[in-house]
Amino acid sequence: AQKITQTQPGMFVQEKEAVTLDCTYDTSDQSYGLFWYKQPSSGEMIFLIYQGSYDEQNATEGRYSLNFQKARKSANLVISASQLGDSAMYFCAMREYMDTGRRALTFGSGTRLQVQP
Amino acid sequence: NAGVTQTPKFQVLKTGQSMTLQCAQDMNHEYMSWYRQDPGMGLRLIHYSVGAGITDQGEVPNGYNVSRSTTEDFPLRLLSAAPSQTSVYFCASRPPTGVAGELFFGEGSRLTVL
């Protein structure tokens, strides 16, 4: 079963506007971590932001914020004041216990964001 | 600042050939992992290791072998390559931090199996 779901294959946003990238997750664990990564066309994976399941405040990192709604099991990424350099693939990921009893990170299928001038 | 180093960056194989993707990190990270990235499917976990001598299967382990004899190295072996293994492979590591702590990724290895 899909643990991380990103329902938006592609998104467009105008430069300087805000955009929300959706992510829902499924887990029975009480302790887990949620991450967002950016992958520009050059291919590297860039860590953006982290939210722990017990964190009471939504995480923020500069223009990135994570809208964490635990009851809904959603962890949406909000990018404020979009820039052309934000055009990339964005992946939501969750660290949780695998069947082996050890934690690993599983990823969603990604959302391709294109920022238009 | 070497970080996570993957070699080779590009490789073309014929069906049935074997090869090893190398991954090394110099950050003394206990945790290392391999992912494959395919269009529309994001990154899928192949194998991971929480320390030397310990390896576990991820979501898509079939057709791949790993070993972890040292903290620094985590090679991924394809014993008999198949066209379905055409993909971009990423190695990633992190220190032991429970649920927190981001992964540090290598630059990726693009593998084509003909």
Side-chain angles (χ1 to χ4, degrees):
Chain A
Q2 184 73 23
K3 295 293 189 74
I4 300 284
T5 302
Q6 296 180 252
T7 57
Q8 307 153 312
M11 290 277 288
F12 289 91
V13 65
Q14 291 293 123
E15 196 176 5
K16 301 181 183 178
E17 292 186 349
V19 62
T20 298
L21 306 183
D22 294 341
C23 173
T24 58
Y25 59 92
D26 182 25
T27 183
S28 57
D29 292 341
Q30 296 301 309
S31 177
Y32 53 89
L34 296 156
F35 300 77
W36 278 91
Y37 282 83
K38 173 183 178 181
Q39 186 180 43
S41 58
S42 52
E44 73 268 33
M45 295 290 288
I46 302 168
F47 166 73
L48 295 178
I49 196 166
Y50 164 78
Q51 178 85 41
S53 58
Y54 290 117
D55 294 341
E56 295 184 352
Q57 301 286 335
N58 284 344
T60 60
E61 289 287 346
R63 293 186 299 110
Y64 304 108
S65 61
L66 200 153
N67 184 2
F68 181 45
Q69 299 189 41
K70 195 170 182 176
R72 291 187 172 186
K73 294 188 175 179
S74 73
N76 299 338
L77 177 70
V78 180
I79 305 174
S80 62
S82 297
Q83 301 173 356
L84 295 178
D86 294 334
S87 294
M89 280 289 286
Y90 289 81
F91 292 99
C92 179
M94 177 172 64
R95 176 164 297 130
E96 59 158 355
Y97 282 107
M98 306 292 282
D99 292 341
T100 56
R102 299 189 177 99
R103 288 192 176 99
L105 198 67
T106 55
F107 286 80
S109 56
T111 295
R112 181 170 298 281
L113 176 67
Q114 294 189 37
V115 181
Q116 296 176 319
Chain B
N1 284 354
V4 179
T5 302
Q6 289 182 233
T7 56
K9 288 187 169 45
F10 300 94
Q11 183 72 50
V12 178
L13 290 177
K14 294 181 179 179
T15 297
Q17 286 185 318
S18 63
M19 76 155 300
T20 299
L21 296 176
Q22 301 290 345
C23 177
Q25 51 90 12
D26 61 358
M27 298 173 283
N28 201 31
H29 287 173
E30 293 290 333
Y31 179 94
M32 296 185 74
S33 55
W34 277 102
Y35 291 86
R36 61 177 288 174
Q37 183 177 19
D38 303 294
M41 303 190 75
L43 280 79
R44 292 183 292 168
L45 182 64
I46 305 172
H47 287 283
Y48 62 107
S49 168
V50 298
I54 305 170
T55 62
D56 286 310
Q57 295 182 349
E59 182 185 355
V60 288
N62 292 343
Y64 307 96
N65 280 353
V66 292
S67 59
R68 185 89 181 274
S69 56
T70 67
T71 299
E72 294 77 20
D73 301 299
F74 190 43
L76 179 72
R77 297 183 184 86
L78 285 71
L79 298 180
S80 179
S84 61
Q85 293 178 303
T86 293
S87 188
V88 179
Y89 292 85
F90 285 96
C91 179
S93 72
R94 69 171 176 86
T97 55
V99 292
E102 77 269 24
L103 284 176
F104 293 79
F105 282 85
E107 294 182 341
S109 298
R110 183 175 294 276
L111 175 67
T112 302
V113 183
L114 303 176

